Amino acid sequence: MSIVLFSLIALLWAEEEQPEPYFFEPFEDDSIGTRWIPSEDPYYNGTWVIEDRLVDFLEEGRKGLTMTTPKTFNGISCKSMFTADASEFVVQYEVKIQEQPVECGGAYLKIINQDYEPRSFNDSTTFAIMFGPDRCGSKNKVQFIERIQNPKSGHWAEHSLAHAPQALWDNYTHLYRLVLTADQRFEISIDGKVEISGDMNEEGMFEPPFEPPKTVADYSVKKPDDWVDEAEIVDVNDTKPEDWDEDAPMEIRDPNASKPDDWNEDEPLYIPDPNATQPADWNEEEDGKYEIPMIENPACESHGCGKWEAPLIPNPNYKGKWSPRMIPNPDYKGPWAPPQIPNKNHFIPQNLHVFGQLYGVGIDVLALTPHVLFDNIYIGRSLIQAMEIANDTWVPRHEAEMLDKKLNEQKQRKLMRAQQWSQFKAEPTLGGKAAIFKDLVLDLFADNWAIGVFICGGILCLIIFCCTFLCRACSRVVKTEVNPEGEQSSSPSEESTETSTEEKKEESPSETSTEESKAEEKSTPEQPIKDEKKDKEEEEPAQPRKRQSQSPAPKKGGKKPRRDQ
Ligand SMILES: *[C@@H]1O[C@H](CO)[C@@H](O)[C@H](O)[C@H]1NC(C)=O
Ligand SMILES: *[C@@H]1O[C@H](CO)[C@@H](O)[C@H](O)[C@H]1NC(C)=O
Ligand SMILES: *[C@@H]1O[C@H](CO)[C@@H](O)[C@H](O)[C@H]1NC(C)=O
């Protein structure tokens, strides 16, 4: 219902004249060095190019902005002045990670809010918005940072979305979109699917929150000298008990132990090694007199030797040093903290979607793997317009990519089935054959589910048919045997209900299966886009596509907005 309503609104809206976007860059020509100026800051050692995608399934709009050198920092910007003060603020662009895998790197944009020299664009060039995918190790997110100025203190602060959604790093073209609205809400979507949305002033949504704290600590107030912040004091009335022996040792010899009977105190623990002989090369003048090495007395292995002593055990009378006990301090005032006073820099953030004067788009990212491609960068005041652009640029490419993905997967499965089939033929046991056959059939159905439904439906019908036939035959036999005359009259009505349900069951599966086989026919490679489009419309309610089909000749202006300079 809401979708229908929304598409209706979108339709009406789209009929109206769309405002010019603030900025739109489809990268149709090579504008490196003219519009897009690489930073000359020595920190950036990567090279930027505008070139065709490495893999593409479309003939139109193949080019994008990409960096070509691995393991580099890359900075580039397009200076373009505009004022963003409308009731909606939209950033949208496409990213294609052409080379895998990306372990660390960014693909985010910065919307610059200071007048600057493009050749010296760098990390310290200030931005109003930073938005887009960022990844390093286990950290993976769609960054959204907004910088705002405190009107009271003049201080600028960066506010980051606390629970940013995960970005996608496969090699398909993905559409990232940020929408800010006048009711102080934001929405981030990937490929037209909303990943997160909410109130920008909601607690915990941004870190730090846009609204500064209402009160602050007054550090001009010092802790009073007489402030008591010891929670416990020594109990002066506590005295050491009479029987407390501070000198009692921790361990004592076990008084209950006694020397074992076979303990021989006369036997030495160590004896000279009886097998030792003076080495042949021993030189008494150099090495000194030869001494026979001592070894452990083997006689001590079976019984104890040497002087016997009782083993050490913990002393039950050990108490250690006595100290008086602690008691709560009656004068305790709690930990001291400076008093809270109203924050003179507090303000209620408003118009988080309005940015005043902006100066263009910058990209300032690390690229360990090259060929991260940017395309169709849109900054404007209309979600509908952004959707229209996406429908013209991203949607057809996405559809072509998804179709390619599907065909690739099918091809893979076909290869696997061929392998399974040869396994099946080679398998000696019947059980093994059956298992492989089952996998094979299930897989075949997964690829050609219309056939699967058709065959399953057919088998089901056959079973139902056989059962009813058998039951009827049985009941007739039973009835004629048990009750030759009576009850016969009720049987025709029973039979008629049975046949009617049977007919229904037979009808429905065949109906669906014909529809499905039609659908299957459509997805043959000759008409690839059409079938995918059907799916796409359900996935992304980007209604302007519907509008297109109604107005066969869309206005050129609406389709490809003029590039902002
Ligand atoms: C670029 O600079 C970084 C850091 O200075 C360095 O680690 C990297 O190897 C450099 N890459 C190239 C291609 O020069
Ligand atoms: C993704 O990468 C694979 C392997 O490198 C390639 O075969 C495929 O065509 C790529 N797909 C896209 C959409 O670029
Ligand atoms: C020694 O044995 C007696 C009697 O069994 C016992 O009461 C006493 O606690 C023992 N002494 C030690 C230090 O274990």
Side-chain angles (χ1 to χ4, degrees):
M1 178 61 203
S2 62
I3 287 176
V4 172
L5 199 71
F6 187 61
S7 58
L8 206 70
I9 292 168
L11 232 153
L12 292 173
W13 185 281
E15 291 309 315
E16 285 175 24
E17 196 59 37
Q18 283 282 336
E20 284 289 309
Y22 299 135
F23 183 95
F24 181 62
E25 177 57 78
F27 297 107
E28 277 168 355
D29 51 354
D30 184 1
S31 54
I32 301 274
T34 53
R35 275 197 317 281
W36 286 85
I37 313 288
S39 170
E40 286 172 10
D41 188 311
Y43 176 71
Y44 301 111
N45 53 2
T47 311
W48 288 96
V49 294
I50 291 175
E51 64 174 16
D52 283 354
R53 286 142 204 264
L54 299 183
V55 175
D56 202 4
F57 307 104
L58 293 187
E59 286 310 313
E60 265 180 52
R62 297 175 63 104
K63 284 191 193 317
L65 175 68
T66 168
M67 45 248 186
T68 53
T69 351
K71 297 198 185 80
T72 50
F73 293 97
N74 299 268
I76 196 168
S77 68
C78 178
K79 192 164 182 179
S80 166
M81 309 235 287
F82 55 90
T83 310
D85 52 7
S87 61
E88 218 167 66
F89 181 79
V90 184
V91 182
Q92 173 181 285
Y93 69 105
E94 294 169 23
V95 174
K96 188 174 197 291
I97 310 294
Q98 302 193 90
E99 205 143 293
Q100 307 282 333
V102 176
E103 274 126 24
C104 201
Y108 46 81
L109 304 181
K110 286 176 175 177
I111 299 175
I112 298 161
N113 70 346
Q114 81 170 90
D115 197 2
Y116 75 111
E117 165 50 47
R119 281 169 220 293
S120 50
F121 166 75
N122 67 17
D123 186 14
S124 57
T125 309
T126 66
F127 60 87
I129 294 266
M130 178 169 142
F131 171 65
D134 193 11
R135 160 175 228 176
C136 213
S138 59
K139 185 199 84 179
N140 167 23
K141 58 183 171 182
V142 180
Q143 291 264 20
F144 171 29
I145 300 176
E146 181 166 340
R147 275 178 82 254
I148 63 165
Q149 188 177 31
N150 184 316
K152 301 230 172 108
S153 68
H155 176 73
W156 286 86
E158 285 182 8
H159 305 271
S160 316
L161 181 60
H163 303 289
Q166 302 242 308
L168 300 173
W169 299 95
D170 54 47
N171 65 353
Y172 298 106
T173 307
H174 293 296
L175 184 76
Y176 289 88
R177 183 193 291 146
L178 168 70
V179 184
L180 307 181
T181 45
D183 54 3
Q184 306 305 282
R185 292 184 67 81
F186 76 100
E187 181 183 289
I188 293 175
S189 59
I190 305 177
D191 296 350
K193 190 171 149 276
V194 176
E195 296 290 330
I196 185 171
S197 67
D199 183 341
M200 296 182 76
N201 281 315
E202 193 183 307
E203 209 181 309
M205 194 64 96
F206 284 80
E207 187 47 47
F210 287 98
E211 183 182 336
K214 288 196 175 73
T215 60
V216 287
D218 182 2
Y219 289 106
S220 67
V221 179
K222 293 277 161 277
K223 183 162 97 170
D225 290 338
D226 61 349
W227 187 273
V228 180
D229 51 9
E230 284 135 356
E232 287 190 322
I233 48 166
V234 168
D235 182 0
V236 288
N237 297 325
D238 193 17
T239 53
K240 190 164 91 169
E242 286 294 308
D243 61 347
W244 188 290
D245 180 6
E246 287 193 334
D247 300 326
M250 246 166 122
E251 285 184 319
I252 51 164
R253 298 267 165 210
D254 186 352
N256 291 347
S258 57
K259 187 166 81 172
D261 288 340
D262 60 353
W263 193 280
N264 188 347
E265 291 206 331
D266 300 331
E267 191 84 55
L269 264 175
Y270 293 94
I271 54 161
D273 186 353
N275 298 326
T277 52
Q278 183 171 328
D281 59 349
W282 190 274
N283 184 335
E284 290 224 339
E285 272 172 26
E286 274 177 29
D287 305 327
K289 192 172 157 37
Y290 176 75
E291 271 177 46
I292 300 168
M294 302 294 276
I295 55 160
E296 276 179 26
N297 188 351
C300 294
E301 272 170 24
S302 50
H303 57 80
C305 297
K307 190 171 154 37
W308 182 83
E309 264 184 321
L312 284 168
I313 56 163
N315 182 359
N317 295 320
Y318 173 75
K319 291 212 165 109
K321 193 139 178 62
W322 181 84
S323 58
R325 66 162 175 249
M326 301 297 284
I327 51 166
N329 186 352
D331 299 326
Y332 179 55
K333 291 191 180 168
W336 186 83
Q340 290 283 316
I341 49 166
N343 180 4
K344 66 180 194 316
N345 293 326
H346 175 260
F347 71 102
I348 304 277
Q350 274 164 336
N351 299 328
L352 292 169
H353 63 295
V354 169
F355 296 97
Q357 184 68 59
L358 295 172
Y359 293 86
V361 176
I363 303 173
D364 162 29
V365 292
L366 164 72
L368 290 186
T369 33
H371 305 302
V372 172
L373 183 132
F374 297 79
D375 203 2
N376 295 312
I377 302 174
Y378 168 88
I379 302 170
R381 68 196 95 189
S382 159
L383 171 60
I384 304 291
Q385 188 171 48
M387 282 174 160
E388 279 189 335
I389 287 174
N391 278 338
D392 287 342
T393 56
W394 177 77
V395 170
R397 180 162 274 116
H398 176 69
E399 283 169 352
E401 285 179 356
M402 289 304 108
L403 182 70
D404 180 71
K405 185 183 178 192
K406 199 170 126 189
L407 292 178
N408 268 334
E409 283 169 0
Q410 276 180 5
K411 212 187 285 169
Q412 283 291 320
R413 283 220 293 273
K414 216 167 175 178
L415 271 173
M416 228 174 67
R417 278 203 298 274
Q419 265 175 9
Q420 275 177 330
W421 180 239
S422 48
Q423 264 175 24
F424 175 77
K425 283 192 290 191
E427 175 67 39
T429 69
L430 209 65
K433 264 195 202 304
I436 296 172
F437 187 71
K438 190 196 77 190
D439 285 351
L440 208 71
V441 167
L442 285 180
D443 197 59
L444 196 69
F445 282 0
D447 256 1
N448 307 284
W449 51 278
I451 298 174
V453 169
F454 187 78
I455 292 177
C456 286
I459 292 172
L460 203 71
C461 289
L462 204 70
I463 290 170
I464 292 168
F465 180 76
C466 289
C467 281
T468 42
F469 183 77
L470 275 175
C471 282
R472 230 180 282 165
C474 275
S475 63
R476 268 202 201 111
V477 172
V478 170
K479 273 168 195 162
T480 41
E481 272 181 3
V482 175
N483 196 1
E485 307 110 45
E487 304 281 319
Q488 284 273 28
S489 56
S490 68
S491 61
S493 70
E494 257 173 39
E495 261 175 43
S496 69
T497 47
E498 268 170 15
T499 30
S500 66
T501 47
E502 177 192 321
E503 267 164 14
K504 264 181 210 157
K505 273 176 190 160
E506 258 176 322
E507 252 169 41
S508 52
S510 61
E511 235 176 43
T512 44
S513 60
T514 45
E515 258 174 40
E516 275 140 12
S517 53
K518 264 184 230 157
E520 186 65 12
E521 270 165 34
K522 269 189 188 171
S523 69
T524 51
E526 286 87 76
Q527 295 169 305
I529 310 294
K530 258 191 183 163
D531 188 40
E532 277 288 317
K533 260 182 204 161
K534 251 174 77 180
D535 294 347
K536 207 54 240 149
E537 272 175 4
E538 282 158 26
E539 196 181 301
E540 143 130 338
Q543 289 69 28
R545 172 157 294 283
K546 280 182 190 147
R547 183 192 66 89
Q548 270 186 9
S549 61
Q550 294 215 345
S551 54
K555 282 169 286 171
K556 262 258 139 27
K559 206 175 171 189
K560 288 226 168 70
R562 193 174 56 79
R563 185 176 302 113
D564 208 22
Q565 254 299 15

